[in-house]
Amino acid sequence: FPGWSWSDGGGAHESTLNGCTLSGNSAMEGGGVTFSTLRNCVLTGNFSTYMSGGGAFLSTLYNCTLSGNSAVWYGGGAYAGTLKNCIIVGNSACGNGGGTAESKMENCLLSGNTAKLSGGGASAGSLTNCTLTGNSAANCGGGADGSTLYNCIVYYNTAAQSNNVCAVTAAHSCTTPDPGGTGNITNEPALVSLGHIAPNSPCVGKGSAAYAAGVDIDGESWRNPPSIGCDEVWAGALTGALAAALQPPVMTAATHAAITFSAPIDGRCT
């Protein structure tokens, strides 16, 4: 339920949460949670009123979804946290790191996040087997800024300067232009959803096993060598629900104005 804190953790502070939803909370730091461990939780519409971590601040998150959270300065979704197998979509920051800032991420999807300065998806973070698409920044690095990227896809992001990456260190990643480093590719990743790659994607088998850890965004094991991005191509039959939608960047526009629609697809698809 909605809460408010004068200092830290509008929803929860120094807590362990499993399967919870925190929505519409606010605090000076960590609008949703601070100093907590979350598993299979949803953080949505939370707000940091003073500085950082709209959704989570200095917390550890497993298999969580962070959406629609915002921060006055750093880390609209999360700040200074550890995130594994999380989905970070549609968060915003007035400073750096619309999705996350100064966070460690493994096997995560970051999409549709915005920053009014730099790092639309992630700023000053360490990312392994993550996919960053459709993020934007008003300044530099629509996908990632000042971050370390291993086995990551950073593609189709926008910024005033350096659409995808700015001042990053990258290895075995897929982005353009090539930021320099070992094993990077610039080919389009052949995405079939926001985070999933096609079986014939150039990212299949192009990651480094030295960096891959845990399981992919669907809970499936990494191959050796692993794919680049948060998704490993599934070897068996693909089953399960698919979700598709059309969405515009704005709901109202002047007559004859050009609007670019996006078509997000979710689920195991080819």
Side-chain angles (χ1 to χ4, degrees):
F1 60 89
W4 181 82
S5 170
W6 176 256
S7 56
D8 298 332
H13 175 70
E14 294 185 354
S15 302
T16 299
L17 306 175
N18 297 296
C20 297
T21 297
L22 294 94
S23 177
N25 304 287
S26 61
M28 292 180 70
E29 301 248 83
V33 297
T34 54
F35 302 101
S36 297
T37 299
L38 287 73
R39 290 179 172 83
N40 303 305
C41 292
V42 175
L43 292 85
T44 181
N46 302 290
F47 178 51
S48 169
T49 61
Y50 174 68
M51 186 63 76
S52 307
F57 179 88
L58 280 169
S59 296
T60 301
L61 291 79
Y62 302 93
N63 300 296
C64 293
T65 298
L66 296 82
S67 67
N69 304 288
S70 58
V72 168
W73 201 235
Y74 303 115
Y79 175 79
T82 298
L83 296 87
K84 298 186 178 184
N85 295 79
C86 291
I87 297 173
I88 304 111
V89 295
N91 304 282
S92 61
C94 292
N96 297 332
T100 65
E102 298 187 33
S103 295
K104 179 180 179 181
M105 285 161 282
E106 295 178 0
N107 318 321
C108 291
L109 168 65
L110 298 91
S111 183
N113 303 289
T114 60
K116 289 190 176 180
L117 290 181
S118 299
S123 177
S126 173
L127 292 79
T128 303
N129 278 108
C130 293
T131 299
L132 297 84
T133 62
N135 304 286
S136 62
N139 187 12
C140 182
D145 168 68
S147 298
T148 302
L149 309 170
Y150 300 116
N151 295 355
C152 290
I153 294 174
V154 191
Y155 234 97
Y156 309 120
N157 304 283
T158 58
Q161 304 175 51
S162 303
N163 283 333
N164 289 309
V165 295
C166 179
V168 303
T169 299
H172 299 278
S173 293
C174 174
T175 189
T176 186
D178 188 347
T182 303
N184 296 317
I185 61 174
T186 58
N187 312 62
E188 291 196 60
L191 296 171
V192 293
S193 76
L194 293 177
H196 294 80
I197 54 176
N200 63 347
S201 167
C203 297
V204 175
K206 294 298 176 63
S208 170
Y211 303 121
V215 292
D216 80 348
I217 196 73
D218 297 319
E220 296 158 2
S221 298
W222 293 109
R223 297 181 185 181
N224 188 5
S227 293
I228 297 173
C230 66
D231 172 49
E232 183 60 88
V233 171
W234 179 240
L238 294 176
T239 61
L242 290 176
L246 286 172
Q247 60 187 36
V250 294
M251 295 305 296
T252 59
T255 303
H256 303 304
I259 297 176
T260 300
F261 284 77
S262 60
I265 303 169
D266 195 20
R268 295 177 179 173
C269 47
T270 58

